[in-house]
């Protein structure tokens, strides 16, 4: 039998548990009835799309954060920090600039130079990027390989921008969201359908006009960032040979290997963005070697097989995220 102390304790616990249950039910109902906001716009020379569950629309605040990133890293903004540095101006570097610059340097070391924010002159020389020039000679390539004073954060800025927006949403208490800037994505929680966010991986076909929307697979992802890099949209043919926009920073020439598309999942989108670009430089086998040192990264590679068909390789840890 219970003594008086046990009875008093039970009498106190029952109403407390009842209040806890009622409070939990009310919170769940409030979350279920709270609308999802849908914001779209243009930034970094591309489009963004952000879906988030909030009673308030945060587009003004979101665009203010994106403007900060644009003011640091945009190649389309003549007054951005990177544009001013490239013109030889003396610039006081912000904490944001230093954060991304240091991450770029870290990935450069980890990939043995495959990720390089100074490769822009070579990208331009091959007819890609922001200037369109004729195909370079070997001497011109050798000369440009020695030039390392021009920065281009295009392969990391969109991912970082997605991270910045995700930080803002978390700070505002938003629990469910999907941020996408030019294909670089951060997700958290669940979608409007009360399911994990479903993100498609595009099938790599020669599609320079981006009109083909055929998907290779769909991934169920949440609480993770995702970025994809590929050679199937920005390319041209000359002399019967295909030249894609991924330039090897060491050789100065467009890469010539079987990897067509690299999708990377990581804790931050800037990291995923940088490694996706790196893997397109490295190719499948070198990328696999790096992944042995970085098990925290998950990848989905699409590559060309000798018979002309496409093959797929993905991290074993990614298998559970592939939608049926």
């Amino acid at each position: 039998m219970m003594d008086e102390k046990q009875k008093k304790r039970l009498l106190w616990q029952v109403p407390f548990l009842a209040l806890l249950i009622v409070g939990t039910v009310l919170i769940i109902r409030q979350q279920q009835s709270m609308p999802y906001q849908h914001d779209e716009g243009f930034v970094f020379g591309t489009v963004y799309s952000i879906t988030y569950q909030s009673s308030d629309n945060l587009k003004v605040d979101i665009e203010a954060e994106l403007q900060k990133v644009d003011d640091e890293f945009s190649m389309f903004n003549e007054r951005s920090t990177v544009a001013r540095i490239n013109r030889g101006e003396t610039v006081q570097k912000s904490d944001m600039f230093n954060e991304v610059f240091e991450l770029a340097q870290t990935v450069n070391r980890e990939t043995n130079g495959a990720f390089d924010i100074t490769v822009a002159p070579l990208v331009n020389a091959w007819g890609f990027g922001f200037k369109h020039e004729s195909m370079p000679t070997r001497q011109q390539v050798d000369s440009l390989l020695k030039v390392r004073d021009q920065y281009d954060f295009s392969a990391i800025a969109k991912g970082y921008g997605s991270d910045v927006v995700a930080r803002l949403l978390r700070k505002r208490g938003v629990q469910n969201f999907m941020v996408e800037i030019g294909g670089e994505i951060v997700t958290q929680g669940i979608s409007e359908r009360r399911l994990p966010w479903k993100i498609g991986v595009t099938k790599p076909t020669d599609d320079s006009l981006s009109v083909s929307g055929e998907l290779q697979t769909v991934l169920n992802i949440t609480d993770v960032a995702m970025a994809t890099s590929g050679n199937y949209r920005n390319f041209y043919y000359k002399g019967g040979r295909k030249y894609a926009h991924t330039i090897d920073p060491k050789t100065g020439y467009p890469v010539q290997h079987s990897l067509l598309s690299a999708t990377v999942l990581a804790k931050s989108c800037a990291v995923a963005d940088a490694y996706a670009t790196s893997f397109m430089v490295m190719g499948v086998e070198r990328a696999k070697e790096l992944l042995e040192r970085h098990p925290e990264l998950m990848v989905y590679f699409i590559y060309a097989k000798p018979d002309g068909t496409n093959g797929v390789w993905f991290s074993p840890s990614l298998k559970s995220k592939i939608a049926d």
Side-chain angles (χ1 to χ4, degrees):
M1 296 179 65
M2 292 188 293
D3 58 26
E4 287 300 316
K5 286 186 177 180
Q6 289 175 320
K7 289 180 179 179
K8 289 181 179 179
R9 187 181 300 115
L10 182 61
L11 289 172
W12 177 85
Q13 288 176 339
V14 169
F16 174 78
L17 290 172
L19 285 172
L20 183 63
I21 292 170
V22 171
T24 301
V25 170
L26 289 174
I27 291 172
I28 292 173
R29 285 183 176 177
Q30 182 183 28
Q31 286 189 338
Q32 289 179 338
S33 62
M34 187 182 297
Y36 275 75
Q37 308 286 337
H38 301 270
D39 294 340
E40 296 180 348
F42 193 76
V43 69
F44 313 147
T46 187
V47 295
Y48 74 78
S49 176
I50 303 170
T51 300
Y52 54 100
Q53 187 179 29
S54 172
S55 56
D56 300 318
N57 185 275
L58 303 173
K59 185 172 184 177
V60 172
D61 296 330
I62 287 170
E63 293 200 333
E65 290 299 295
L66 289 175
Q67 188 60 53
K68 294 177 185 177
V69 182
D70 188 272
D71 288 342
E72 295 292 339
F73 305 110
S74 176
M75 301 294 286
F76 298 90
N77 180 351
E78 293 184 355
R79 300 306 304 164
S80 70
T81 297
V82 66
R84 294 175 63 194
I85 290 173
N86 288 347
R87 290 197 299 268
E89 297 180 24
T90 301
V91 181
Q92 182 67 39
K93 299 180 179 68
S94 67
D95 291 341
M96 179 181 285
F97 185 94
N98 289 331
E99 178 187 0
V100 177
F101 183 85
E102 289 171 10
L103 174 58
Q105 296 304 99
T106 297
V107 179
N108 176 273
R109 290 191 297 270
E110 290 297 311
T111 60
N112 193 26
F115 185 78
D116 192 332
I117 58 174
T118 67
V119 77
L122 284 161
V123 174
N124 291 330
W126 283 99
F128 305 104
F130 301 93
K131 297 179 181 178
H132 298 281
E133 302 175 7
S134 59
M135 189 174 292
T137 64
R138 177 73 257 184
Q139 288 182 328
Q140 289 173 324
V141 170
D142 290 341
S143 177
L144 289 171
L145 282 170
K146 299 173 185 177
V147 177
R148 298 294 182 182
D149 60 353
Q150 297 285 301
Y151 296 143
D152 181 356
F153 289 87
S154 298
I156 196 172
K158 293 194 298 292
Y160 182 73
S162 294
D163 288 330
V164 167
V165 174
R167 290 177 196 171
L168 170 68
L169 295 176
R170 293 186 186 108
K171 186 177 179 180
R172 296 298 177 86
V174 178
Q175 298 181 19
N176 303 310
F177 61 78
M178 189 276 291
V179 179
E180 186 261 329
I181 302 177
E184 320 306 6
I185 297 166
V186 181
T187 65
Q188 181 173 298
I190 57 176
S191 69
E192 290 174 279
R193 299 175 62 188
R194 319 304 298 176
L195 295 169
W197 296 97
K198 293 181 181 291
I199 309 297
V201 177
T202 304
K203 182 174 289 187
T205 56
D206 285 359
D207 181 22
S208 60
L209 297 178
S210 303
V211 295
S212 173
E214 189 175 1
L215 297 179
Q216 180 76 35
T217 191
V218 175
L219 303 178
N220 291 317
I221 66 172
T222 191
D223 302 324
V224 72
M226 170 179 152
T228 298
S229 183
N231 276 333
Y232 52 94
R233 285 184 176 163
N234 197 357
F235 62 90
Y236 62 81
Y237 286 92
K238 190 163 186 177
R241 187 175 184 180
K242 180 180 178 181
Y243 293 88
H245 78 285
T246 301
I247 306 298
D248 188 328
K250 288 192 172 182
T251 68
Y253 279 76
V255 295
Q256 297 288 332
H257 55 57
S258 64
L259 187 57
L260 302 174
S261 170
T263 296
V264 179
L265 275 65
K267 288 186 176 180
S268 94
C269 202
V271 168
D273 204 359
Y275 275 107
T277 299
S278 303
F279 293 151
M280 289 306 304
V281 172
M282 299 168 72
V284 175
E285 297 308 318
R286 287 176 58 199
K288 286 182 180 180
E289 293 174 6
L290 183 144
L291 289 167
E292 291 180 2
R293 305 195 306 272
H294 288 279
E296 77 278 8
L297 300 176
M298 291 184 285
V299 304
Y300 189 97
F301 292 154
I302 306 174
Y303 61 92
K305 297 165 68 173
D307 63 3
T309 61
N310 289 350
V312 168
W313 185 89
F314 53 84
S315 303
S317 55
L318 190 66
K319 186 175 182 178
S320 63
K321 297 182 180 297
I322 298 177
D324 294 332

